[in-house]
Amino acid sequence: MAMEWITAMDKRPCDRNLRDAELISCRLRRVEPLCRLPSSALQQLAMCGFYEDLEKGVTLFRAGEQGRFWYAVLGGSLEVRYHASETDAKAPVTLCNLSVGATFGESILHELPRDSTVVTKTTCELLRVEQQDFRLIWEKNKELMNDIITTCKLKNGFGSGVSPIASSPTKRPLSPDHPNPALPISESPSSTMSRMGWALRTLLIADSSSCLKDRKVAGKFIRKCAPGTELVDWLLNLSSIVHTRAQAAGMWQALLEEGVLSHVNKEQPFKDKCFLYRFRVDEDGSAGSYSTTEDTNAANEYVRESLSTLFQRGPDAILRMILRKPSHERTPEELELIFEELLHITALSHLSTSIKRELSSIIVFESHAQAGTILFNQGDEGRSWYILLKGSVDVVIHGKGTVATLKNGDDFGKLALINDAPRAATIVLKENNCHLLRVDKEHFNRILRDVEANTLRLQEHGKDVLVLERVAKQRGQHSAFKYTVMSGTPSKMLEHLLETRLGNQVSGLDPFLDDFLLTHIVFMPVVQLVDELANYFHCDSNNGSQTPEDREYIINFKKRVVQFMQKWVTAVRHAAFDEPSVCDFIEDLATEIEADQELSEETSIIHNVLTQMTRYQEDRNQNTGQKWKLPPNGQPICLFSGNATPSKTIIRPDDDIIFRVYCADHTYCTLRFPLHTTAGIIKACAADKLQLNRGPDDLVLIEVKSNGERSVYKDNDVSIPTSLSLNGRLFVSVKDHLDALTPLPEQEGPTEGIDIDLEILSTKEIAYQMTLFDWDLFWAVHEYELLYQTFGRHHFGKITANLDVFLRRFNELQFWIATEIVTTSSMCKRVGLLRKFIKLAAYCKEYQNLNAFFAITMGLSNMAVLRLTQTWEKIPSKFRKLFQEFEALIAPSRNHT
Ligand SMILES: Nc1ncnc2c1ncn2[C@@H]1O[C@@H]2COP(=O)(O)O[C@H]2[C@H]1O
């Protein structure tokens, strides 16, 4: 017989006769729930179906393929799999298993591509029916077919119905703003719950005194329903493990939240009251009304084995039900239950008891049935904060893909709320039936915003990529940001900056943007920065299909890149235009922006940047090849160049500088090199000129200071001549003979003051002129020079000449003050000079020239000057007092405040 039906099925449908059809339909009649179909339908299936006998591990179809067949499982089992994203290389999620009787592939009715992949788990026997044949059978037996599909879903837990995951992963979720505790939290019940439902219903039906009856309510006939109170009574009687009514109610609620049971009008969660409930299979009246003895025995056995599982689920089901109620409907006892639950949530552990109590009344339970659902998109407005209770989610970032997977207990979605910025990532559910707790923005702002944890860490691929720290609010400070960046990977910091510190929504700033613009060279070379900006700007080029939301996001991001460029060149000025990669990028941007209508508002910004760039390039061309000469001994820095004053002239890396290099016997050579020349080259050239016939490895370039101190240059150091200290001299020497180096006599320093009668000059006028001069020097210093100086010029290969000159000016001023005083032999003149210098410091301070003020005060604090007690005694006490104030001001202990 077995062989006969297979032989019949092996025939081509057009070759089958009535006997074949009878043999096949007999076989189908033994398969529950197919057997429920009328004979005519079974005959039709028998005439058009194909038999497939498959090995383990065969893929029947893949997600995304266009379906052609419907299937029924006659033997063996299969697995339904789902990939969270098409490009996701990670293991797929198993949605459910299909066993004998299951049917699948109904999506062909809707001409939809397959949502999931189906693979055989064991050797399998399948009935395969072509699309047009299945449609005919479906049309004639819609209700029964639907019922078979539902039963199949209940039995298998999920999946084989019409498009269980019909919504594509890119669709927006049904994020229920107001979840309804009367409705199920999953799309279809788990296999355990559906079987438990079947078992309880079978027993209820078998019980002659059962409460499950057909009833007439308000003139309407309702099949097989029962009041909550009676269902509770029945369950209490059924098993000794159920002791209290609350426990029984929890167990029924566990069935209700999975959709196995429901309130007849779908208006109530399970309540131990007279509300009527029924099993889902009774809603359309298709389920049978009687239980066979076999069924009853099987149900009894199942209940004996598995009721404890339902029992354990009760309390959680009750809690979830409460968490889906609106705040005003939660009773004090229910709030207490929630509060106790919140005590166990790690994401809330830093919060005080009173805050957790406040949260109890507003925190909401939310569940999502389908893996692949997008909770929200990167760039969306932030509306809620979430804690993951069950399941997992992928954190996906444009251009990067999945950067992290969050699991039970993790929280997300806070960043947008605390910074009033758009969502920094898209959150995609990785599993079916994810459970979340949600706190909406208005409550978050009211309850949590000011008590948030001090540190917030973002991870990508298991590593911290951004650490934010809460900003302590200072008086008068109106930063829009609650958190500022403490550390991070350069790329993540750039991404965070583009997302939060640029764009229209930013109403106030913290120093992060300026800090990044001015210091990125320390951790992110310009070439890398430009590369990343270009990637952000072109993020649409490898992104074929775009939804309008995607497009809006992309355009927004492009605008941010343009704004970043504008702010960057404004902050770093010529340093940006000195880099060829930056100039190329600016030109590319300008071309692309002009060609893109959606970026028309950005045209004026990029033109402005282009104009600045052109101006700078013209200026550079005019001033190329400047020549500088270090002033000879004792002369002031204003004689540094050929010009009498620096008049805002910037020293550039390719400007030449003329300087001397000495050797041990004090003979010297004069060299002329661009400022960016390395110490190694200078050393080799000087050794050659001074005929020190030694290899470069045996030689060093060294500064000898006036006190005999020596400091050796690294071969890759640049900006050498300007970095010499006041009265320092450059020597080239054999490494082993450093001890033989002595300062030149001229380095001893001046023995006389300058030959000007300072008394005839107005102190205010001197201070004024000094300030103008200092300002010019200061103006020429680029912020980057401070970084090169601090982190080591050799790391960057960049000159610090403008900063060197400015520092030299400070030292010069300081030593000039001391020299003038100690070289004035007349007491009377010295007293006058001391008074004049204190006044000079006061005027400099008044002109806000703190550089000169500090230098003068330090010059006056020189031990050689302080020792002149008689001179100090002769100046009026108000000058002495003023000087004491100045000394206090320069003391580092008070941080110069
Ligand atoms: N590496 C990451 N980059 C950005 N967001 C992340 C990252 N890891 C986790 N997230 C979370 O993803 C959320 C997306 O929305 P928010 O920007 O509000 O807050 C974000 C963080 O809570």
Side-chain angles (χ1 to χ4, degrees), residues 351 355 359 385 439 443-444 446-452:
L351 299 173
I355 300 248
L359 282 178
W385 173 54
V439 177
H443 300 303
F444 184 92
R446 184 171 53 84
I447 306 172
L448 293 172
R449 216 180 145 114
D450 291 330
V451 293
E452 262 316 309

Side-chain angles (χ1 to χ4, degrees), residues 257 311-323 341:
E257 73 168 12
F311 179 80
Q312 280 157 13
R313 288 197 190 186
D316 284 348
I318 293 287
L319 185 72
R320 285 190 283 268
M321 184 268 286
I322 299 169
L323 280 164
E341 188 62 21

Side-chain angles (χ1 to χ4, degrees), residues 191-204 252 255 260-261 279 281 302 310:
S191 53
T192 333
M193 285 293 121
S194 56
R195 227 174 132 59
M196 181 53 75
W198 166 82
L200 292 177
R201 180 178 176 277
T202 306
L203 295 184
L204 271 163
W252 286 118
L255 291 166
V260 175
L261 188 83
F279 286 89
V281 284
Y302 189 73
L310 183 65

Side-chain angles (χ1 to χ4, degrees), residues 316-359:
D316 284 348
I318 293 287
L319 185 72
R320 285 190 283 268
M321 184 268 286
I322 299 169
L323 280 164
R324 288 192 295 154
K325 282 186 182 185
S327 304
H328 63 272
E329 286 181 17
R330 297 180 188 176
T331 64
E333 296 76 37
E334 290 174 341
L335 291 177
E336 192 58 31
L337 265 180
I338 302 178
F339 170 73
E340 274 166 26
E341 188 62 21
L342 298 188
L343 293 178
H344 306 297
I345 295 179
T346 335
L348 304 176
S349 57
H350 63 287
L351 299 173
S352 69
T353 309
S354 62
I355 300 248
K356 282 185 198 130
R357 284 206 183 278
E358 276 196 79
L359 282 178

Side-chain angles (χ1 to χ4, degrees), residues 2 29 103 130 135 149 165 173 176 195 197 221 249 279 313 317 362 396 423 518 550 553 646 676 719 779 843 864:
R29 245 178 235 124
T103 64
E130 291 209 47
R135 192 180 292 284
I149 288 164
I165 43 172
R195 227 174 132 59
F221 181 71
F279 286 89
R313 288 197 190 186
I362 53 87
V396 184
R423 293 294 194 192
L518 291 172
D550 282 347
Y553 176 84
H676 60 72
S719 221
W779 180 89
Y843 280 123

